[in-house]
Amino acid sequence: MEAAAADSSLPWAAQCLGAALFAAALCVAALGVVLTLLRRWPWCSCHVCRAYLTGSWAQDFTNLGDWYAHLLRDSPTGTVHVHVLGCTVTANPANVEYMLRTNFDNFPKGKAFAAVLGDLLGRGIFNVDGHAWRHQRKMASLELGSVAVRSYAFGIVAQEVESRLLPVLAAAADAGAVVDLQDVFRRFAFDTICKISFGLDPCCLELEMPVSRLADAFDVATRLCAMRGAAASPLLWKAKRLLNVGSERELREAIALVDELAAAMILERRKLGVAGSHDLLSRFMASAGDDAHEVDDKYLRDIVVSFLLAGRDTVSSALTTLFMLLSKNPAVAAAMRSEAGGGDGDGSTTPPLTYEHLKRLHYTHAVLYENMRLFPPVQFDSKFCAGPDVLPDGTYVAGGTRVTYHPYAMGRMPRIWGADHGAFRPDRWLTGPGGTFVPESLYRYPVFQAGLRVCLGKELAVTEMKAVAVAVVRAFDVEVVGDSGAAACAPKFVSGLTASISGGLPVRIRRVVR
């Protein structure tokens, strides 16, 4: 009887002990936060830090990026310090080149960045430095530079456009329905990247618009990881992760689902075999040879997640803002339609959607670049200064400082783009012979990064966006509707690793009358 009583009291004792440990952990976490804030604020009385911590910037600006753009325009050097974040933010092209090329080794991703995204990205190419990064980049460069892979990828894009995207838009046009174009493009990009990268079809853009557990979990995970990076102190999210509460518990559950579904993808790919397959995962598996490290499932899982991040959200983000702008600039859409129609310029013929045809569309190329100048899919990118340094504009950067270059703000800098930097003007890119497209320096336009970390999938992404843009403007007029900020070309973005419009992009689709 006594033994039974002792056994029955054990859970109660364990609960008391657990509660005591939980309370102690909360006290330690709270103390850490207080000490951090006391160290950084209010002793830092600058208006930038106070505005960031209190959120008062939101009284005058729609997005945090707009506030940064304002600060950087007012700065004589195009660089500002946000002391409470331990961060230096720059929109100075000379600084960008120094970080990404000249003194590349002193500006790695860094351990702090790896910690923020490590649970999601693992040891994938976007989250590592040194040998691991060089190895993965070499592998990815070989595969993405392959003519066979590019041909395979373009075939998938063309098929997805014709068999799924256009029918979905046609159904909406015929029904007179309002659709969320951002959701449509995310589904399109998700199907496409899964086919290209893994040789598997999640069928997200079927007419029934099925729900994808992987896509939803990935959305949650990227949003919550971005919240980590925006926190005034890493102690905040680290304490919640330790206690498995709040946003960190939600993140853990989302990543667990991503891991489960990524493992299922890898298993399915192994069952189907990799010999003769052109999808990127198969080629990574095949090229790994007998090296056990290279074919480890965790390594492959990190590749899967990296491909999803690179190929889905960036493309869908750029396409969403593109059609938001075209809705307010119908003359630009008409010019794209005329160019895509054929050499006679009257749109009376419809050339097939081929890689060679798309390459000749200089005006459409300029429209895409002008869209991403104003609305880059990745609005900012951070590195960590390994050792004390001085940027070309004279800014001193202490070792361990986060240094962020800000493409969103750079697209709004008059010293880079002139007095009309806020205008959507595609012809600013058409300065070559006969009005052909001429790219800007990647250090002035780091939408695809630059230097040694320049995006390897740049050409594939631009070709995919061109294919979608041409196919849609040929067949449809797109009108943004509703009272949202997006309807006035002033979208509010949600927190995330890539730009995503809050509330989506509600549009009405109409068939083009020929």
Side-chain angles (χ1 to χ4, degrees):
M1 292 291 291
E2 291 178 358
D7 288 341
S8 64
S9 65
L10 185 59
W12 177 84
Q15 290 176 16
C16 290
L17 179 59
L21 291 173
F22 179 79
L26 281 179
C27 290
V28 170
L31 178 61
V33 171
V34 169
L35 290 175
T36 299
L37 294 179
L38 284 175
R39 178 168 63 87
R40 290 182 171 173
W41 186 75
W43 309 119
C44 176
S45 59
C46 75
H47 70 285
V48 173
C49 293
R50 289 185 180 276
Y52 184 85
L53 284 173
T54 62
S56 62
W57 60 265
Q59 297 173 8
D60 301 307
F61 301 96
T62 304
N63 299 292
L64 187 62
D66 296 312
W67 178 60
Y68 277 128
H70 164 73
L71 295 175
L72 293 164
R73 279 194 300 269
D74 285 352
S75 168
T77 61
T79 302
V80 296
H81 299 288
V82 187
H83 307 103
V84 293
L85 296 178
C87 183
T88 296
V89 184
T90 188
N92 188 318
N95 292 345
V96 176
E97 183 172 5
Y98 185 75
M99 293 163 55
L100 300 184
R101 185 182 69 85
T102 309
N103 203 16
F104 174 81
D105 289 338
N106 198 42
F107 291 91
K109 284 288 185 180
K111 293 181 179 179
F113 183 91
V116 168
L117 296 178
D119 292 335
L120 175 62
L121 297 183
R123 298 283 295 167
I125 190 171
F126 299 117
N127 207 40
V128 291
D129 295 301
H131 173 73
W133 168 73
R134 289 185 177 88
H135 174 74
Q136 290 187 54
R137 186 171 178 84
K138 180 180 178 181
M139 295 275 290
S141 179
L142 290 172
E143 301 307 335
L144 290 170
S146 162
V147 174
V149 168
R150 289 185 180 182
S151 177
Y152 168 78
F154 182 77
I156 286 174
V157 170
Q159 181 185 37
E160 188 75 11
V161 167
E162 292 297 328
S163 66
R164 286 186 177 156
L165 178 61
L166 294 183
V168 164
L169 297 181
D174 295 341
V178 172
V179 296
D180 179 1
L181 196 59
Q182 178 169 258
D183 179 56
V184 170
F185 284 144
R186 294 177 88 173
R187 290 170 178 273
F188 166 82
F190 189 69
D191 279 358
T192 302
I193 195 60
C194 285
K195 288 182 178 181
I196 294 172
S197 297
F198 321 126
L200 303 172
D201 185 2
C203 300
C204 287
L205 196 55
E206 297 287 352
L207 287 174
E208 298 80 12
M209 296 292 194
V211 174
S212 167
R213 295 169 65 216
L214 176 57
D216 287 350
F218 196 74
D219 286 342
V220 171
T222 55
R223 174 176 57 83
L224 296 177
C225 283
M227 287 174 56
R228 281 180 171 182
S233 170
L235 288 174
L236 294 171
W237 65 263
K238 287 183 178 180
K240 289 197 291 184
R241 183 174 66 175
L242 177 66
L243 300 172
N244 194 30
V245 296
S247 59
E248 286 297 313
R249 180 172 184 171
E250 187 181 2
L251 176 60
R252 181 172 294 181
E253 291 170 351
I255 290 176
L257 183 54
V258 170
D259 290 347
E260 175 189 336
L261 297 174
M265 279 187 169
I266 294 166
L267 180 61
E268 182 67 15
R269 187 67 263 169
R270 282 205 169 105
K271 286 181 179 178
L272 294 174
V274 301
S277 298
H278 292 298
D279 64 274
L280 296 176
L281 182 59
S282 293
R283 293 176 73 92
F284 264 80
M285 288 177 169
S287 62
D290 298 325
D291 190 330
H293 166 73
E294 305 302 346
V295 296
D296 176 76
D297 279 3
K298 179 64 171 67
Y299 170 81
L300 294 175
R301 175 266 180 210
D302 294 344
I303 288 175
V304 166
V305 173
S306 296
F307 283 153
L308 287 176
L309 180 65
R312 187 195 75 148
D313 292 352
T314 52
V315 168
S316 62
S317 173
L319 287 172
T320 300
T321 54
L322 170 64
F323 281 92
M324 178 191 72
L325 289 171
L326 292 180
S327 174
K328 291 297 178 180
N329 295 272
V332 175
M336 290 173 62
R337 187 175 299 127
S338 177
E339 179 188 51
D344 53 11
D346 63 2
S348 60
T349 60
T350 306
L353 197 65
T354 65
Y355 181 77
E356 291 71 23
H357 176 60
L358 293 178
K359 284 181 67 175
R360 296 193 294 269
L361 304 182
H362 287 263
Y363 184 77
T364 298
H365 204 102
V367 171
L368 290 175
Y369 268 62
E370 181 70 349
N371 165 56
M372 290 186 288
R373 178 183 71 83
L374 292 170
F375 299 109
V378 179
Q379 296 187 347
F380 62 90
D381 187 38
S382 297
K383 313 296 180 188
F384 276 82
C385 188
D389 211 332
V390 178
L391 300 178
D393 67 0
T395 301
Y396 172 76
V397 183
T401 299
R402 183 168 68 175
V403 185
T404 296
Y405 66 93
H406 211 292
Y408 183 89
M410 293 178 76
R412 290 160 170 74
M413 297 291 283
R415 68 190 73 176
I416 299 176
W417 299 102
D420 66 345
H421 60 87
F424 177 60
R425 190 169 64 79
D427 59 356
R428 75 174 76 238
W429 298 88
L430 300 175
T431 58
T436 53
F437 175 86
V438 176
E440 183 56 85
S441 162
L442 291 180
Y443 303 109
R444 293 164 62 89
Y445 181 80
V447 169
F448 296 99
Q449 292 210 49
L452 297 178
R453 278 191 181 263
V454 68
C455 176
L456 293 173
K458 171 185 171 183
E459 183 177 345
L460 176 59
V462 171
T463 301
E464 182 176 352
M465 289 186 284
K466 255 186 171 179
V468 172
V470 168
V472 174
V473 298
R474 275 177 173 174
F476 305 105
D477 280 318
V478 176
E479 178 191 2
V480 178
V481 300
D483 299 324
S484 65
C489 291
K492 179 177 177 57
F493 295 102
V494 297
S495 177
L497 300 180
T498 52
S500 178
I501 298 176
S502 177
L505 188 71
V507 303
R508 197 177 302 279
I509 311 291
R510 295 184 178 89
R511 290 182 182 269
V512 171
V513 179
R514 296 187 180 276

